Amino acid sequence: MYSYSASQWLLFFFIYCFFGWIWESCYVSIKKGKWVNRGFLRGPILPIYGSGAIIVLLATLPVRDNLILTFILGMIAATLLEYFTGEAMEALFHVRYWDYSNQPFNLNGHICLTSSIAWGFFSILMVRMLHLPIDRLVTAIPEELSQILAYILTAGIAIDAATSFREAMDLKDMLKHMAEHN
């Protein structure tokens, strides 16, 4: 069975946040034809990908040898995270960071069938291929160093999140003020 320390789980989270940022920023930049820094935070991380990776790992590592269960459990876990994150971000900031409204079989534009299916395949890819070298890398780090790295990265992200949250709330207030004047 997979047994990781809290600091190792945090390092996994940060690594997958960074990989998610690379993936999404490159994907959107190619579609737009110019560089787009995706995400809510200023730093090169997308916490939804780190959160998704951790949730998918927790849901699928016990069944990683069963492709069908890995697909289904990964798809469900990632889709639930995407839906509730989309709802929360829209409720808090009145902004949609993604919108699947034009896709068939979508729910409130926050999730859709094609993305859910993609999350299932990404779950298999992550659990069967990507996580193996990341597991070896993270578990090779001495626990004391792992704890220090996790602490430093957590502090940095907390500062970034607090600053980004404040800026988003300021933008929300400014937009509300402008709407009232119009």
Side-chain angles (χ1 to χ4, degrees):
M1 194 58 188
Y2 299 90
S3 178
Y4 301 118
S5 69
S7 61
Q8 289 169 331
W9 278 111
L10 280 169
L11 292 178
F12 291 143
F13 171 79
F14 295 127
I15 289 167
Y16 287 115
C17 285
F18 179 65
F19 285 172
W21 176 83
I22 290 171
W23 161 260
E24 189 153 323
S25 293
C26 290
Y27 175 75
V28 172
S29 295
I30 289 168
K31 283 181 69 174
K32 300 255 185 197
K34 65 177 183 166
W35 176 250
V36 178
N37 181 10
R38 290 290 288 178
F40 175 74
L41 303 175
R42 291 180 176 260
I45 60 166
L46 282 171
I48 192 165
Y49 282 92
S51 301
I54 297 304
I55 286 171
V56 167
L57 288 171
L58 289 169
T60 61
L61 281 178
V63 297
R64 71 170 288 152
D65 293 328
N66 184 321
L67 276 180
I68 294 171
L69 283 177
T70 299
F71 178 90
I72 291 170
L73 293 175
M75 178 182 71
I76 291 169
T79 299
L80 287 172
L81 175 67
E82 186 173 40
Y83 181 80
F84 289 112
T85 300
E87 285 285 325
M89 296 297 275
E90 189 170 356
L92 279 172
F93 306 117
H94 303 287
V95 174
R96 279 192 176 239
Y97 286 89
W98 62 88
D99 190 356
Y100 298 127
S101 296
N102 61 343
Q103 298 290 320
F105 305 107
N106 77 80
L107 181 59
N108 298 333
H110 295 299
I111 57 173
C112 68
L113 181 60
T114 54
S115 286
S116 294
I117 291 169
W119 292 132
F121 285 114
F122 278 129
S123 296
I124 291 170
L125 178 70
M126 183 181 73
V127 171
R128 287 283 186 99
M129 297 177 70
L130 184 61
H131 188 66
L132 298 173
I134 292 171
D135 172 275
R136 284 192 292 274
L137 173 74
V138 169
T139 56
I141 300 170
E143 184 58 26
E144 298 79 26
L145 181 56
S146 176
Q147 290 173 359
I148 292 167
L149 286 171
Y151 177 77
I152 290 169
L153 290 168
T154 300
I157 287 184
I159 291 166
D160 190 350
T163 303
S164 298
F165 183 81
R166 187 186 71 236
E167 289 172 357
M169 295 309 285
D170 290 346
L171 177 61
K172 176 183 163 187
D173 291 342
M174 183 180 76
L175 292 173
K176 183 179 175 184
H177 182 71
M178 288 172 58
E180 289 171 355
H181 278 90
N182 287 336

